[in-house]
Amino acid sequence: MVHARRGGIGRYYDVNGWLFVAPALGLIALFMIYPIVWSLWMSFQSGRGMMMKFAGFANIVRLWNDPVFIKALTNTMTYFVVQVPIMILLALVLASLLNNPRLVGRGLIRTAIFLPCVTSLVAYSVLFKGMFALDGIVNSTLEAIGIISSPIPWLTHPFWAKVLVIIAITWRWTGYNMIFYLAALQNIDRSIYEVARIDGVPAWARFTHITIPLLKPVILFTTVISTIGTLQLFDEVYNLTEGKGGPSNATLTLSLYIYNLTFRYMPSFGYAATVSYVIVILVAMLAFLQFFLARERDR
C-alpha cells in the first residue's frame, strides 16, 4: 500500500485511491470541464474558426434583439409550462392504476407504456409523421367518430405543430417517469393504507394525504429531470420538422436553434455558445426554485 505523509502529524493519505480514480477524473476534465470552460470563453467571441475575435458582451446584447431567439425561448418555456405538468400527472395516474394487484394484464400494459422510451427515435418520428399526416390514422379516426369535419394540419399549422410536439414528448417520456412512481408506490407499507381504510378514510383522501406526501421525493426528482429534458428538447422537434423547427419557427427550441447556428446557418459559434448558457441559467434557476419550494412545503 502506497501512502503519503502530510505535515508530519501522523496523517496518511491513500495514494492508490487517487491513482484508481485518476483516469475517470481525466476523462471528466477532458469531456466535461474543458468544454464548459471553452464554451464560456467562446460566448465572448465573434466569428468562426481562426477568425474568432473578442466581442465582449455583444452576443448578450444580440440575444434580446434577435426575434428568432425570442421565438425559440418562448417555445421552450411553453413546452415546459404545458408539457411537464401533463407528463408528471399522467405518469402518476398510470402508476397508481398499475399498482392495483387486481388489474388484469399489468405486465403487458406496463411494457406498452414504457416501450416508447426505448424505441428508436427515427422509427418513432416516422410513425408519428404517418399517424398525424392529413390522411393519417389520427385524422381518419377523429373524422369517423365525428369530432372533426376536416383533417387537422398537424405538421403544417403553427398551433397544431406545437401540440403535436407536446403529444410526442408526453407519449415518449411518460412511461419513464411512471416507472419511478410505480417503484415508489410498491415500497409504501400497505399497513398504512389498511389502518386508514379501517378508520373510514375514503380513497381520494388516502391518495392525497398518504400517497402524495410519501411520494414527494420522487415527485421532486421526476419534476427536475423532466424540466431539464424539456429545456434541452431537441430530438423530437428535429425529427418531426426535419431540423427546421417549422412551420415558421413555431416549434423551434433553444437547443435546435443552437444546432442551426452551428451547423445549418452561417456558423456563429460564439453566439451559439451564448444561447447555450441561456439554457444553463434556466435549468439552474428552475431546479433551484423546485428544490426551494419542496423544502418550504416540508417545513
Side-chain angles (χ1 to χ4, degrees):
M1 184 73 69
V2 181
H3 292 85
R5 180 183 292 272
R6 182 181 176 184
I9 58 175
R11 283 178 147 187
Y12 293 93
Y13 294 87
D14 188 356
V15 178
N16 286 345
W18 287 106
L19 292 176
F20 180 78
V21 300
L25 293 176
L27 291 174
I28 291 173
L30 179 62
F31 293 106
M32 293 187 65
I33 298 176
Y34 173 73
I36 291 173
V37 175
W38 180 258
S39 63
L40 180 62
W41 177 83
M42 284 185 62
S43 67
F44 293 99
Q45 309 292 316
S46 63
R48 64 183 189 276
M50 299 299 294
M51 304 301 293
M52 299 286 286
K53 61 180 181 180
F54 184 74
F57 295 98
N59 287 327
I60 298 176
V61 175
R62 179 182 171 184
L63 285 175
W64 310 112
N65 297 316
D66 181 2
V68 180
F69 166 76
I70 299 298
K71 184 66 174 177
L73 177 61
T74 303
N75 291 340
T76 301
M77 295 308 297
T78 300
Y79 293 139
F80 164 68
V81 171
V82 176
Q83 184 263 332
V84 170
I86 292 175
M87 186 167 60
I88 295 300
L89 290 174
L90 184 58
L92 181 56
V93 170
L94 291 172
S96 299
L97 293 175
L98 290 173
N99 194 44
N100 182 2
R102 294 189 297 272
L103 179 65
V104 178
R106 278 200 308 166
L108 181 62
I109 298 173
R110 182 173 60 243
T111 302
I113 296 173
F114 186 73
L115 188 61
C117 300
V118 295
T119 303
S120 166
L121 187 58
V122 175
Y124 181 79
S125 301
V126 170
L127 174 65
F128 252 72
K129 284 183 178 180
M131 289 173 57
F132 288 88
L134 283 176
D135 57 349
I137 188 173
V138 174
N139 278 330
S140 299
T141 302
L142 294 177
E143 285 183 292
I145 61 180
I147 294 180
I148 60 175
S149 57
S150 59
I152 297 175
W154 295 99
L155 297 170
T156 57
H157 189 279
F159 173 78
W160 291 113
K162 195 171 295 181
V163 172
L164 176 58
V165 171
I166 292 174
I167 293 173
I169 305 168
T170 303
W171 192 345
R172 182 170 176 81
W173 294 113
T174 295
Y176 179 79
N177 290 325
M178 180 199 70
I179 294 299
F180 289 104
Y181 289 128
L182 187 57
L185 286 170
Q186 291 174 347
N187 282 323
I188 296 177
D189 190 351
R190 306 305 300 178
S191 63
I192 300 176
Y193 293 106
E194 292 298 328
V195 171
R197 189 178 296 108
I198 293 173
D199 288 342
V201 179
W204 177 250
R206 292 198 300 269
F207 182 77
T208 55
H209 291 86
I210 297 177
T211 304
I212 296 298
L214 292 175
L215 290 181
K216 276 186 178 180
V218 182
I219 293 174
L220 176 62
F221 171 75
T222 54
T223 302
V224 170
I225 62 172
S226 297
T227 297
I228 294 173
T230 302
L231 294 178
Q232 295 178 339
L233 180 61
F234 174 83
D235 295 338
E236 287 82 358
V237 178
Y238 179 87
N239 284 278
L240 289 173
T241 66
E242 299 179 355
K244 299 176 182 178
S248 303
N249 293 327
T251 59
L252 184 68
T253 62
L254 290 174
S255 294
L256 183 56
Y257 188 40
I258 293 169
Y259 171 84
N260 289 339
L261 285 170
T262 307
F263 299 108
R264 290 179 66 92
Y265 306 154
M266 180 66 69
S268 183
F269 301 142
Y271 186 52
T274 304
V275 177
S276 71
Y277 272 92
V278 173
I279 299 179
V280 172
I281 293 171
L282 286 174
V283 168
M285 290 175 57
L286 291 173
F288 174 79
L289 179 62
Q290 289 165 353
F291 277 107
F292 176 78
L293 293 176
R295 187 178 64 178
E296 287 298 310
R297 292 194 193 99
D298 290 337
R299 288 183 177 180

